Amino acid sequence: MDKKKALEKIAQRLRIHSFKMTTKAGSGHPTTCSSMAELAACLFFDEMRYNIHDPFDWSNDEFVLSKGHAAPLLWAAYAEAGIISQKSLMNLRKITSTLEGHPTPRMKWVKAATGSLGQGLSVGVGLALAMKLGKCPRRVYVVLGDGECAEGAVWEAANQAALAGLDNLCAILDINRLGQSGVTMHEYDLDAYERKFKAFGWNAIQIDGHNIPQILSALKKAKQSKKPTAIVAKTIKGKGVSFLEDRNGWHGKPLNREDLQRALDELGPMPEIDAKKYVRKPNKLKKPQLKRGFRFAKNTYSKETATRRAYGNALVSLGKVNDSVVCIDGDVKNSTYADSFFAAYPKRSFDVFIAEQNMVGIGIGMAARGYLPFLATFAAFLCRAHDQIRMAGYSFSNMKLVGSHVGVSIGADGPSQMGLEDLALFRPIPGCAVLYPSDAYSTEGCVEAMTKYRGLAYLRTSRPATPILYKKGEAFPIGGSKVLKKSQKDKVAVVAAGITIHEALKAYEDLKKDNIPIRVIDAYSVQPLDLKIRTEIAKAGNKVVVVEDHFRSGGLGDALASLLAGEADILHLAVDELPRSGEPHELLEKYGISAEHIKQAVKQIIKKK
Amino acid sequence: MDKKKALEKIAQRLRIHSFKMTTKAGSGHPTTCSSMAELAACLFFDEMRYNIHDPFDWSNDEFVLSKGHAAPLLWAAYAEAGIISQKSLMNLRKITSTLEGHPTPRMKWVKAATGSLGQGLSVGVGLALAMKLGKCPRRVYVVLGDGECAEGAVWEAANQAALAGLDNLCAILDINRLGQSGVTMHEYDLDAYERKFKAFGWNAIQIDGHNIPQILSALKKAKQSKKPTAIVAKTIKGKGVSFLEDRNGWHGKPLNREDLQRALDELGPMPEIDAKKYVRKPNKLKKPQLKRGFRFAKNTYSKETATRRAYGNALVSLGKVNDSVVCIDGDVKNSTYADSFFAAYPKRSFDVFIAEQNMVGIGIGMAARGYLPFLATFAAFLCRAHDQIRMAGYSFSNMKLVGSHVGVSIGADGPSQMGLEDLALFRPIPGCAVLYPSDAYSTEGCVEAMTKYRGLAYLRTSRPATPILYKKGEAFPIGGSKVLKKSQKDKVAVVAAGITIHEALKAYEDLKKDNIPIRVIDAYSVQPLDLKIRTEIAKAGNKVVVVEDHFRSGGLGDALASLLAGEADILHLAVDELPRSGEPHELLEKYGISAEHIKQAVKQIIKKK
């Protein structure tokens, strides 16, 4: 059979599967699937090389479905390729199935969860960068919807792909003209998409997205380009079914049984073809063998050092024992101190400019290809990538994020630069470790712990230099805590982390003079919080003052109150209003989290019955 | 004196002020200021019309400093214009001054806090849309840095500005080639910026940003264009000081006293000119008089209704008594039910496509010009705009956000579509009200309460239809709660909100059969939480089960634990892992927040001593 005919048949099979699956499930996006059936057929059954027995084979080309709501078509392609059974397709969206409504890596071939639109191209950039770094001559294909091209993250990714010369990246735009609630921004103005991608430094090719020869030809041309290529494909939403084609109001709606039958009558019988035969195996490539140690030689500190600086030093040491570590920063590397790593390992360092969403997407992509990305920016600016960070969590991504310049202790730059909600951002993500060191040695310990941990982890670093509290080489396991001061007579426990630990220690000295012994606990592992903290608080009379350089909600205080669940009296010191510019010590004072405030709080809670 | 000479002198004054101010403050970004001195001189002392006595004068042109770190230059311009004293400039970054490190609306002329980069153009789009809506023939000027053009949000705004035909919007790009930690993406490739803006549908003009006649000419041409205009200005970072000009390593660094003297020697004496004389007053325009009611005619509900649908209906009713209400949605208006408002008031409705960051920026801009924006999308996708929402809070913006499709109760679409961290996002923002209704009438009450409230407010709506619990017209004030079930013998309180209230009521009925009376409390005001809930819990033996359709951290459970601060035993039911696709009732069951789980939790906590 000639290739064109075969691919047409396969496309039709994918389309028919999608309609059936979504009707069975009672929900889903069949018309979104239908527009990309020919594109997927060409990609999965002619263009891409992949080993159906191993989704993590280094020799595979990579695929990202950025328009995640077309998941049924993706599952259908995997079924036709022989990766999953065709029968399993009918389990779409069941609670027992990995064939979810939008892709997640619970289905092993999915490298990144999608479904929040406009994120897939960044993941593709990450995968493509990983291939370049590992000298892997494979390619990355990302299918985007037209609606999601309104997302700025797409253009952050487009920028970076062109600047990095990612000729191994191909974006396929499924321009079906209709969004969820109406027409898209540019409808069928394909020139607009071409103009934009070209302006962003890409090669762009317009085609009819239902025409197999045009698709194959464009994919071939893309391989010859020295730039990343965008294939701008004009398609029809609901293609193949007269009462759905190019009709508004059918987004995200499955057909009822009757309509399905009408659709199937129009689509004709399931074409007979064994699509598995058209899957193209890759030539076996050797995966680079990388050192993947996590125990690194610790640095020596004798004087006050900012935790952000210690992070930079730790990363350099880690880089020596772990070749998989890559460092990504968004034009603040001289503030986060990622620049230490940049100087030591320029090939493994990526400044992706001021584009945090894309930074995180790249991290997801590189992690999916076996690298261990450390990403840093100001903690405040990680909010910019909240959606991508959330999706990284949903992707079970082994990525490490670092937020510097946390809290009012940064001083005069003002609230826009202060990370005051970062703990609230990271704590909800299932499985995300949240670490907040207070000195140089605890920073090193935390970096080691987060490297060892397989999953998303967040390190919170501070701007000002802080005194050394711990010993070189001391361990800071995830889920641990440190008791810095204690006695048999403690009347109150003070739980703090980061900058406020130093305030708590000052308060301890003053209170000692007043003959009020307190227990000082460093909750450096904000999540998970050490269960032993409960015992320590119990030993201090079940009275606790918790103090943090963060807004009141969502941070250490909430975490502690939740842990204690009524077992102890709590007084919580935190930032309650929008801070101003000022000196760090003035701000700690003004916003109620200084040593003086801790002293007062301790005296107050002692009085409480 | 001729205009060119005058503006050159004023520019030099702004530049000298900036150097002096930052040296005095001991921090700040003088070289960033210096590159835009001529641009600011032309804008503030020739191009723009504004009434120096009233920052909120409807007749004013509007200005947004997107590159917020150039704040000193902005303050200097206001001083030269006679709005603030020149003496006050020396209070830059002091804790007592409104002249902060980055602009916030504590200084009344600032319409939106900036300093998190790449947000200003969206605010400008909002201001320009507000002018169009109010038939105000004024213009909006936004100064952007080149570094921030890597942010996708800039391109979301660019898209929308062109699509909306905002010929009253002018972006001025200060292309000084250097970012914080190195060169920018395109350095001095001004063609790249021009290409991009043109591809996004803008007019673009390249100029020398230190050449007064070129600046004035470009501003004039911008006014003649039917498209929004980007003036791409080549500038020199640190302009005017030989040892700073175009030198890397000087970002965000003030000069020490000696270097300042060297700089001032090069810059020459402060030019003598009374800049105030060059400020151009606007012709007085009449501000449209808008109805601004908040009490609207309530709808009648007799059967199960989704809160998202009730939101749409409430907004339509509100629109009748309040002309300032505008509705903004990101291509999900048929899911959020914003489409009801779109149908009723098309002129006040804006679908800004799938670009949540820009959506929020537009909201900030429209609110700053006196409109009352209601913005809606899936709660999950509000994460995409976390940074803009944070800055809206910092801008004291009177904007209302609505997140639909919260929690696992959405069902089969899967986790990417479930709002499971939205409470954690909104609760930390100082002054942000967070409301979570459970039925149609409480939704109406919440919409009324958030309209009345001046400040940021968030409404959390659910996908499934829920039974009616309340009476038509019942009030749901911010900071309130409702006790739905109570008796003298209550052994446990159950605190819930939204979907879980209905589960709690089912549990109540079952437990009654087991002779276990419980108090059921609807904490619809998640923030601020009603202090009276403490009393109610005390009356139920100080034992409480709190249950929410949200990840464990940062939501209602944390809020309650924090409120109680050790006063009561708490058992917290929440979502602890990444949910799957499935049926709503299956998911409530699987993730431990169903009636059955509440029953078990009540029985468990009763046993606890």
Side-chain angles (χ1 to χ4, degrees):
Chain A
M1 200 185 315
D2 84 339
K3 190 193 281 185
K4 173 173 174 287
K5 207 156 200 167
L7 291 171
E8 280 170 356
K9 284 189 174 189
I10 295 173
Q12 195 71 342
R13 287 183 67 87
L14 298 178
R15 184 171 279 127
I16 292 171
H17 281 310
S18 304
F19 279 110
K20 288 183 172 174
M21 291 163 73
T22 47
T23 294
K24 180 73 177 8
S27 62
H29 304 74
T31 58
T32 304
C33 293
S34 196
S35 68
M36 64 169 284
E38 281 76 18
L39 294 170
C42 290
L43 285 168
F44 281 87
F45 301 94
D46 188 71
E47 174 70 6
M48 295 200 294
R49 310 297 198 259
Y50 54 102
N51 169 5
I52 61 165
H53 304 294
D54 183 6
F56 304 105
D57 192 325
W58 180 257
S59 318
N60 289 346
D61 285 328
E62 296 281 3
F63 179 79
V64 180
L65 183 67
S66 188
K67 47 174 282 188
H69 49 305
L73 192 99
L74 183 63
W75 308 144
Y78 288 133
E80 289 292 320
I83 288 171
I84 55 174
S85 75
Q86 298 203 14
K87 206 177 139 194
S88 69
L89 293 179
M90 290 301 130
N91 295 327
L92 175 72
R93 291 176 166 237
K94 283 191 187 161
I95 200 163
T96 48
S97 170
T98 58
L99 308 184
E100 300 191 66
H102 294 77
T104 80
R106 278 193 272 244
M107 199 287 183
K108 296 296 176 202
W109 282 82
V110 174
K111 296 302 168 66
T114 53
S116 180
L117 290 169
Q119 299 197 11
L121 194 57
S122 294
V123 175
V125 171
L127 290 164
L129 278 174
M131 287 177 182
K132 291 282 183 191
L133 184 60
K135 297 192 170 35
C136 174
R138 288 294 180 259
R139 295 178 62 76
V140 180
Y141 300 86
V142 182
V143 171
L144 291 90
D146 44 357
E148 67 178 314
C149 290
E151 287 285 7
V154 171
W155 304 101
E156 294 181 5
N159 248 337
Q160 189 59 34
L163 291 169
L166 297 180
D167 55 3
N168 56 343
L169 177 64
C170 182
I172 299 102
L173 312 188
D174 179 9
I175 311 289
N176 65 24
R177 196 185 75 89
L178 296 172
Q180 173 178 320
S181 70
V183 297
T184 57
M185 198 166 44
H186 295 311
E187 301 197 42
Y188 277 143
D189 180 4
L190 272 72
D191 290 346
Y193 295 96
E194 177 173 340
R195 225 168 21 236
K196 286 178 176 182
F197 272 94
K198 282 188 171 164
F200 275 69
W202 285 51
N203 177 34
I205 307 168
Q206 290 189 33
I207 60 164
D208 171 351
H210 299 301
N211 181 309
I212 301 279
Q214 284 191 29
I215 301 170
L216 296 178
S217 158
L219 289 167
K220 192 172 170 187
K221 280 186 207 150
K223 276 188 289 225
Q224 291 155 358
S225 170
K226 289 187 176 159
K227 299 174 177 177
T229 296
I231 297 175
V232 184
K234 182 175 178 178
T235 63
I236 296 169
K237 200 160 175 173
K239 169 76 177 174
V241 180
S242 61
F243 59 94
L244 301 175
E245 280 195 354
D246 200 30
R247 296 277 174 93
N248 212 346
W250 276 104
H251 182 95
K253 288 185 188 157
L255 301 183
N256 63 28
R257 300 240 151 243
E258 279 168 29
D259 285 342
L260 177 65
Q261 196 49 58
R262 285 169 63 206
L264 294 177
D265 288 347
E266 286 196 22
L267 291 165
M270 187 69 105
E272 296 211 1
I273 185 167
D274 185 1
K276 285 192 288 297
K277 288 186 186 159
Y278 293 84
V279 173
R280 298 175 77 166
K281 263 202 267 187
N283 296 328
K284 193 74 188 168
L285 295 171
K286 219 181 135 186
K287 188 172 181 176
Q289 291 304 307
L290 304 177
K291 282 187 289 178
R292 290 179 183 274
F294 64 88
R295 283 204 188 87
F296 55 85
K298 303 302 180 294
N299 298 284
T300 302
Y301 294 96
S302 54
K303 59 172 188 181
E304 292 201 346
T305 306
T307 53
R308 59 185 172 128
R309 189 183 282 270
Y311 158 69
N313 296 340
L315 208 60
V316 171
S317 303
L318 175 63
K320 282 183 197 154
V321 297
N322 194 319
D323 299 328
S324 75
V325 171
V326 293
C327 187
I328 315 179
D329 195 279
D331 192 25
V332 287
K333 54 188 181 290
N334 55 339
S335 286
T336 60
Y337 285 108
D339 62 357
S340 311
F341 190 94
F342 275 65
Y345 313 101
K347 283 187 188 166
R348 288 194 267 152
S349 299
F350 304 88
D351 191 321
V352 296
F353 300 105
I354 308 171
E356 296 79 9
Q357 296 189 73
N358 185 47
M359 179 168 83
V360 174
I362 288 176
I364 297 172
M366 294 193 86
R369 200 74 190 174
Y371 287 95
L372 182 62
F374 276 75
L375 280 65
T377 184
F378 283 28
F381 305 146
L382 285 173
C383 289
R384 194 61 154 265
H386 188 159
D387 200 15
Q388 280 78 3
I389 293 168
R390 175 178 82 95
M391 296 300 282
Y394 296 6
S395 300
F396 314 108
S397 185
N398 189 27
M399 178 168 62
K400 315 301 168 183
L401 289 137
V402 181
S404 70
H405 293 68
V406 301
V408 299
S409 66
I410 72 160
D413 268 337
S416 64
Q417 319 292 302
M418 295 169 174
L420 285 160
E421 48 284 278
D422 54 316
L423 295 176
L425 187 165
F426 283 99
R427 283 183 56 242
I429 302 171
C432 181
V434 179
L435 303 175
Y436 184 14
S438 54
D439 81 341
Y441 289 131
S442 55
T443 306
E444 296 213 309
C446 288
V447 169
E448 187 161 304
M450 71 199 284
T451 306
K452 190 178 167 191
Y453 179 68
R454 188 164 168 89
L456 206 61
Y458 172 57
L459 184 78
R460 188 173 208 242
T461 66
S462 302
R463 182 176 180 278
T466 43
I468 303 299
L469 297 179
Y470 295 102
K471 292 206 183 76
K472 183 174 173 178
E474 199 165 335
F476 285 79
I478 291 171
S481 65
K482 302 279 180 181
V483 179
L484 284 170
K485 297 288 177 190
K486 69 167 163 181
S487 76
Q488 299 293 331
K489 298 178 181 168
D490 292 338
K491 292 182 177 168
V492 176
V494 174
V495 174
I499 202 84
T500 57
I501 268 290
H502 301 279
E503 298 300 312
L505 291 171
K506 285 181 220 161
Y508 166 87
E509 295 299 339
D510 283 357
L511 288 165
K512 202 161 73 170
K513 291 174 200 156
D514 294 343
N515 205 19
I516 304 175
I518 62 170
R519 187 159 297 207
V520 177
I521 302 166
D522 180 0
Y524 69 83
S525 176
V526 175
Q527 177 163 294
L529 210 53
D530 192 351
L531 293 176
K532 287 199 296 279
I533 291 178
R534 291 162 69 167
T535 327
E536 294 296 335
I537 289 171
K539 288 179 187 163
N542 266 333
K543 286 176 184 290
V544 57
V545 172
V546 54
V547 52
E548 62 183 320
D549 196 357
H550 187 275
F551 282 136
R552 176 165 298 277
S553 297
L556 179 61
D558 273 7
L560 188 69
S562 175
L563 178 80
L564 294 172
E567 287 183 3
D569 285 338
I570 307 175
L571 218 155
H572 180 195
L573 307 180
V575 180
D576 272 319
E577 56 178 301
L578 180 64
R580 312 180 75 104
S581 289
E583 292 297 317
H585 70 274
E586 286 179 324
L587 295 168
L588 291 171
E589 196 59 41
K590 182 172 172 68
Y591 298 106
I593 57 172
S594 66
E596 185 55 37
H597 287 276
I598 296 171
K599 275 166 55 187
Q600 288 168 12
V602 165
K603 289 179 178 175
Q604 185 185 332
I605 203 168
I606 283 177
K607 283 184 203 150
K608 201 181 158 193
K609 284 195 188 140
Chain B
M1 197 181 324
D2 84 342
K3 190 194 280 185
K4 173 173 174 289
K5 209 157 200 166
L7 291 172
E8 280 170 352
K9 283 189 176 188
I10 295 173
Q12 194 71 343
R13 287 183 67 88
L14 299 178
R15 184 172 277 127
I16 291 171
H17 281 310
S18 304
F19 279 109
K20 287 183 171 173
M21 291 163 73
T22 46
T23 294
K24 179 76 178 0
S27 62
H29 304 74
T31 58
T32 303
C33 293
S34 196
S35 68
M36 64 169 284
E38 282 76 18
L39 295 170
C42 291
L43 285 168
F44 281 88
F45 301 95
D46 189 71
E47 174 70 6
M48 294 199 296
R49 311 294 197 262
Y50 54 101
N51 169 4
I52 62 164
H53 303 294
D54 183 5
F56 303 104
D57 192 324
W58 180 256
S59 318
N60 289 346
D61 286 327
E62 295 282 1
F63 179 79
V64 180
L65 183 66
S66 188
K67 47 174 283 187
H69 50 304
L73 193 101
L74 182 64
W75 308 144
Y78 288 132
E80 288 292 321
I83 288 171
I84 54 174
S85 75
Q86 297 204 15
K87 206 176 138 195
S88 70
L89 294 179
M90 291 301 131
N91 295 328
L92 175 71
R93 290 175 168 240
K94 282 190 187 164
I95 200 163
T96 48
S97 171
T98 58
L99 309 184
E100 300 192 67
H102 294 77
T104 80
R106 277 192 274 244
M107 199 288 182
K108 296 295 175 205
W109 282 81
V110 174
K111 295 300 167 71
T114 53
S116 181
L117 290 169
Q119 300 196 11
L121 194 56
S122 295
V123 175
V125 170
L127 290 163
L129 279 174
M131 287 177 182
K132 292 281 181 192
L133 185 59
K135 297 192 170 36
C136 174
R138 288 295 180 259
R139 294 177 62 74
V140 180
Y141 300 86
V142 181
V143 171
L144 292 90
D146 44 357
E148 67 179 314
C149 290
E151 287 285 7
V154 172
W155 303 100
E156 294 180 6
N159 248 338
Q160 189 59 35
L163 291 169
L166 298 180
D167 55 2
N168 56 345
L169 177 64
C170 182
I172 299 102
L173 312 188
D174 178 11
I175 311 288
N176 65 24
R177 197 184 74 88
L178 296 173
Q180 173 178 321
S181 71
V183 297
T184 57
M185 199 165 45
H186 295 311
E187 301 197 41
Y188 276 143
D189 180 3
L190 272 72
D191 290 345
Y193 294 97
E194 178 174 338
R195 228 173 14 240
K196 286 178 175 181
F197 272 94
K198 283 189 170 165
F200 275 70
W202 285 50
N203 177 34
I205 306 168
Q206 289 189 35
I207 59 164
D208 171 352
H210 299 299
N211 182 309
I212 300 279
Q214 285 191 28
I215 301 170
L216 296 178
S217 158
L219 288 167
K220 192 173 171 188
K221 281 184 207 154
K223 275 189 290 226
Q224 292 154 359
S225 170
K226 289 188 175 158
K227 299 175 179 178
T229 296
I231 298 176
V232 184
K234 183 175 177 176
T235 63
I236 295 170
K237 199 159 175 172
K239 170 75 178 175
V241 180
S242 61
F243 58 93
L244 300 175
E245 280 195 355
D246 200 29
R247 296 277 174 94
N248 212 345
W250 276 102
H251 182 94
K253 287 184 189 158
L255 301 182
N256 62 30
R257 299 240 151 244
E258 278 168 28
D259 285 342
L260 176 65
Q261 197 48 60
R262 285 169 62 206
L264 293 177
D265 289 347
E266 285 194 23
L267 291 164
M270 189 68 105
E272 295 209 4
I273 185 166
D274 185 1
K276 284 191 289 296
K277 289 186 186 159
Y278 293 83
V279 173
R280 298 176 75 165
K281 264 202 264 185
N283 297 328
K284 193 75 188 168
L285 296 172
K286 215 180 140 189
K287 190 173 180 175
Q289 291 304 308
L290 304 177
K291 282 185 290 179
R292 290 178 184 274
F294 63 88
R295 283 204 188 88
F296 55 87
K298 303 302 180 293
N299 297 283
T300 302
Y301 294 96
S302 54
K303 57 172 189 179
E304 293 202 346
T305 305
T307 53
R308 59 183 172 130
R309 188 183 283 271
Y311 158 70
N313 296 341
L315 208 61
V316 171
S317 304
L318 174 64
K320 281 183 199 156
V321 297
N322 194 318
D323 299 328
S324 75
V325 170
V326 292
C327 187
I328 315 179
D329 196 280
D331 191 24
V332 287
K333 56 188 180 291
N334 54 342
S335 287
T336 61
Y337 285 108
D339 61 359
S340 311
F341 189 95
F342 275 64
Y345 313 101
K347 283 187 188 166
R348 289 194 268 152
S349 300
F350 303 89
D351 190 322
V352 297
F353 300 103
I354 309 171
E356 296 79 8
Q357 296 189 68
N358 186 48
M359 178 169 83
V360 174
I362 287 175
I364 297 172
M366 295 194 85
R369 200 77 189 172
Y371 287 95
L372 183 61
F374 276 76
L375 281 64
T377 184
F378 282 28
F381 306 146
L382 285 172
C383 289
R384 194 61 153 266
H386 188 160
D387 200 14
Q388 280 79 4
I389 293 168
R390 176 177 82 95
M391 296 301 283
Y394 295 9
S395 300
F396 314 108
S397 185
N398 189 26
M399 178 168 62
K400 315 301 169 185
L401 290 137
V402 181
S404 70
H405 292 69
V406 302
V408 300
S409 65
I410 72 160
D413 268 338
S416 64
Q417 319 293 302
M418 296 169 175
L420 285 161
E421 48 283 279
D422 54 316
L423 295 176
L425 187 165
F426 283 99
R427 283 182 56 241
I429 301 171
C432 181
V434 179
L435 303 175
Y436 183 15
S438 54
D439 79 343
Y441 289 131
S442 55
T443 306
E444 295 212 313
C446 288
V447 169
E448 186 161 303
M450 71 199 284
T451 305
K452 189 177 168 190
Y453 180 67
R454 187 164 170 89
L456 206 62
Y458 172 57
L459 183 79
R460 189 174 207 240
T461 66
S462 302
R463 182 177 180 278
T466 43
I468 303 299
L469 297 179
Y470 295 102
K471 293 206 182 79
K472 185 172 171 178
E474 199 167 335
F476 286 78
I478 290 171
S481 65
K482 301 278 179 181
V483 179
L484 285 171
K485 298 288 177 189
K486 69 167 165 181
S487 76
Q488 299 293 331
K489 297 178 181 169
D490 292 338
K491 292 183 175 164
V492 176
V494 174
V495 175
I499 201 85
T500 58
I501 269 291
H502 301 278
E503 298 299 312
L505 291 171
K506 285 181 221 162
Y508 166 87
E509 295 299 339
D510 284 356
L511 286 164
K512 202 162 71 170
K513 290 174 199 158
D514 294 344
N515 204 20
I516 303 174
I518 61 170
R519 188 157 295 209
V520 178
I521 302 165
D522 179 0
Y524 69 84
S525 176
V526 175
Q527 175 164 296
L529 210 53
D530 191 353
L531 292 175
K532 287 200 293 281
I533 290 178
R534 290 162 71 166
T535 327
E536 294 296 335
I537 289 172
K539 288 179 186 162
N542 265 332
K543 286 177 186 288
V544 57
V545 172
V546 54
V547 52
E548 61 183 321
D549 195 358
H550 187 275
F551 282 137
R552 176 164 299 275
S553 297
L556 178 62
D558 273 8
L560 187 69
S562 175
L563 178 80
L564 294 172
E567 287 183 3
D569 285 337
I570 307 174
L571 217 154
H572 180 195
L573 308 180
V575 181
D576 272 319
E577 57 178 299
L578 180 65
R580 312 180 76 105
S581 288
E583 292 298 317
H585 70 275
E586 286 179 324
L587 294 169
L588 291 171
E589 196 58 42
K590 182 173 172 67
Y591 299 106
I593 57 172
S594 66
E596 184 56 37
H597 286 277
I598 295 171
K599 274 166 55 186
Q600 288 167 14
V602 166
K603 289 179 178 177
Q604 185 185 332
I605 203 167
I606 284 178
K607 283 184 201 152
K608 201 181 158 194
K609 282 191 188 142

